[in-house]
Amino acid sequence: MTAELIVLRLVHVVGGTFWVGAILLQSLFVFPALMEAGPAAGPVMAGLMKRKLMIVLPVVALLTILAGARLMYIAAAATGGAYFQSNTGRTFAIGAASGIIAFLIGVLVGRPAAMRMGQLNAAMAKAPEAERAGLAAQLAAVRRRTGLAGNAVTVLLLIAASAMAIARYVG
């Protein structure tokens, strides 16, 4: 195995583990707890933003995708393109497509909604009582969007991780 393959596999597997684990933690535990916390969630969201979670996670996801794409290219080139005619190649392709779609939903829908949710929670914590109802209505809409995006990303990443885990054994 060449050094390039070792580095690519390390980036892909470790990055993917971090990405899927972080999304599962957020979707199943952190965001539901924040939603129950109401305005008290503002400082927690601010803390997550301060720690650059909304920057680190997409960067790790992108590196994971790029490393996986290069690994697929190497595998496909070695077989003259017949790789995607095999069950293994198709399974990896399903996993890759699921991961890429999850990334796009996360970056284009989930991340902006989560950041907006953090801003609204922080604003609610400081807002006078008369303004809280309007902020609460906005927050409810953003929570729904965040929840839907989070659920979609979670399911897609579980499909991606499952496909990556079994691809070598289906061919």
Side-chain angles (χ1 to χ4, degrees), residues 59-168:
V59 168
V60 169
L62 186 58
L63 291 173
T64 300
I65 289 169
L66 292 174
R70 177 69 179 145
L71 287 167
M72 283 184 100
Y73 175 81
I74 291 167
T79 63
Y83 182 70
F84 295 108
Q85 302 304 314
S86 71
N87 289 337
T88 296
R90 281 191 287 258
T91 304
F92 275 128
I94 289 167
S98 297
I100 291 167
I101 294 167
F103 174 76
L104 292 173
I105 292 170
V107 168
L108 299 176
V109 180
R111 182 179 183 272
M115 293 180 79
R116 180 71 179 138
M117 189 169 66
Q119 292 167 348
L120 287 168
N121 275 321
M124 280 187 65
K126 298 175 185 174
E129 191 65 37
E131 295 176 16
R132 287 190 183 172
L135 291 171
Q138 290 179 49
L139 186 58
V142 174
R143 281 182 180 166
R144 280 191 298 280
R145 188 176 321 127
T146 304
L148 289 172
N151 289 342
V153 168
T154 300
V155 169
L156 287 164
L157 285 180
L158 287 173
I159 291 169
S162 298
M164 300 298 162
I166 66 168
R168 294 192 188 281

Side-chain angles (χ1 to χ4, degrees), residues 34-51:
L34 291 174
M35 287 184 193
E36 289 176 6
V44 176
M45 283 301 293
L48 292 172
M49 286 187 212
K50 178 181 172 185
R51 287 166 182 78

Side-chain angles (χ1 to χ4, degrees), residues 25-26 30-31 34 41-56:
L25 180 67
Q26 285 181 19
V30 175
F31 286 143
L34 291 174
V44 176
M45 283 301 293
L48 292 172
M49 286 187 212
K50 178 181 172 185
R51 287 166 182 78
K52 309 285 189 229
L53 178 67
M54 301 300 182
I55 294 170
V56 171

